[in-house]
Amino acid sequence: MRNTAKLTTAVLAAGALTFGLSACGSSGSASDTSGPLVVAASPTPHAEILDYVKEHLAKKAGLDLEVKEFSDYTTQNPATEDGSVDANYFQNQPYLDDFNKKRGTHIVPVVTVHLEPLGLYSHKVKSADALKSGATIAVPNDSVNEARALKLLDTNGIITLKDGVGNEATPADITENPKNLKFKELEAAQTPRSLDDVDAAVVNGNYAIEADLKPASDALVLESAKNNPYGNFLAVKEGNEDDPRVKKLAKLLTSAEVKKFIEDKYAGSVIASF
């Protein structure tokens, strides 16, 4: 019994030490703001914008910024929630609301930086009117971006959605489909790669740019920036909004220098939202 007690005490002590070390090393600790600010970001344009801040603005502002690129945007909120990173920059409010609700995460926006207009692209036709009866359209398969894609088609008179449909719209909510379009649901990152296999695809702005598409000129139809709820923002786990490093980054991301960088580099394919 005595040996068992000693062993148990030793195990608990070791566990406590390990936990303490883990807690100190976690980048998600709200109390530890001495290290670099680690921000998860999609490669384009998010990481590019953050890299500009890191290379040209952060040092003068006293910010030690580390950028981690995530090609799969669905992993960024979990990484922020568990403290693997301090913040992320890739998403819009409808996507975040849906993610928090379904995954039980506690991520909150800090500051909106830019909009990536969603567009319809094709390698086979030059206009939306030229889509043939029975054509197949690829759309993102996550609930928010699929609804956003369908709303884009609805706004441009390609289909008609049920009145009042929200951010969970699916092809089942289409009430009028004069061209009898078929929809192929794919991961958002796969939509530009599908363009040789489908008649057209609705592609998120960041993935369009990565695929050397120019939303401002190549899209058959493109979202308007006016009153658009899909601006992308810097986000953190709830409780970390007042981290002084986060506040510094938020100020830099909405600076005149970043606005000019976005305008010069993306020529309307990415639009500053401040």
Side-chain angles (χ1 to χ4, degrees):
M1 179 70 73
R2 192 172 299 165
N3 287 340
T4 301
K6 286 181 179 178
L7 180 61
T8 302
T9 301
V11 170
L12 289 173
L17 178 60
T18 301
F19 177 79
L21 290 172
S22 298
C24 290
S26 170
S27 63
S29 172
S31 59
D32 180 14
T33 61
S34 59
L37 182 70
V38 183
V39 184
S42 297
T44 305
H46 311 80
E48 293 173 348
I49 294 170
L50 288 170
D51 284 339
Y52 172 82
V53 170
K54 180 178 180 177
E55 293 168 13
H56 297 276
L57 306 174
K59 185 176 181 180
K60 184 177 180 181
L63 175 64
D64 186 359
L65 177 62
E66 181 179 337
V67 182
K68 284 193 174 183
E69 292 190 10
F70 283 64
S71 57
D72 180 359
Y73 63 71
T74 63
T75 60
Q76 294 189 48
N77 281 332
T80 307
E81 180 78 10
D82 69 21
S84 300
V85 298
D86 298 301
N88 66 55
Y89 173 33
F90 77 98
Q91 64 192 318
N92 57 56
Q93 192 67 57
Y95 179 88
L96 176 59
D97 290 343
D98 182 72
F99 196 97
N100 278 337
K101 179 180 178 181
K102 291 180 176 177
R103 299 289 289 273
T105 46
H106 308 83
I107 310 300
V108 295
V110 176
V111 66
T112 301
V113 181
H114 77 269
L115 171 72
E116 301 160 26
L118 198 73
L120 177 69
Y121 301 86
S122 176
H123 285 172
K124 299 178 180 178
V125 297
K126 299 297 185 182
S127 70
D129 290 341
L131 287 168
K132 295 179 180 179
S133 179
T136 298
I137 312 294
V139 294
N141 66 0
D142 64 273
S143 56
V144 169
N145 279 309
E146 181 172 51
R148 185 180 174 189
L150 295 173
K151 287 179 182 178
L152 173 69
L153 300 180
D154 174 84
T155 298
N156 287 276
I158 299 168
I159 61 170
T160 301
L161 288 171
K162 188 187 305 180
D163 287 342
V165 70
N167 290 320
E168 295 183 356
T170 71
D173 296 303
I174 296 172
T175 57
E176 294 181 28
N177 185 1
K179 288 182 179 277
N180 296 310
L181 300 175
K182 299 173 184 176
F183 295 92
K184 186 172 184 178
E185 298 167 312
L186 300 172
E187 289 186 10
Q190 299 295 325
T191 54
R193 301 172 200 169
S194 74
L195 282 168
D196 289 331
D197 302 316
V198 297
D199 296 288
V202 180
V203 183
N204 292 71
N206 58 317
Y207 293 127
I209 296 167
E210 287 177 16
D212 293 325
L213 295 167
K214 296 178 174 59
S217 57
D218 294 341
L220 306 183
V221 296
L222 192 67
E223 278 182 329
S224 168
K226 186 176 181 181
N227 300 321
N228 195 305
Y230 297 105
N232 284 203
F233 46 67
L234 179 70
V236 298
K237 185 175 181 179
E238 188 175 8
N240 292 342
E241 302 95 317
D242 292 329
D243 182 328
R245 301 169 303 168
V246 172
K247 287 187 170 183
K248 283 181 181 178
L249 180 57
K251 185 175 181 179
L252 294 177
L253 282 172
T254 53
S255 64
E257 293 90 338
V258 167
K259 185 171 186 177
K260 185 175 188 306
F261 171 77
I262 291 172
E263 290 172 348
D264 291 347
K265 183 172 180 64
Y266 301 110
S269 296
V270 176
I271 303 167
S273 297
F274 55 92

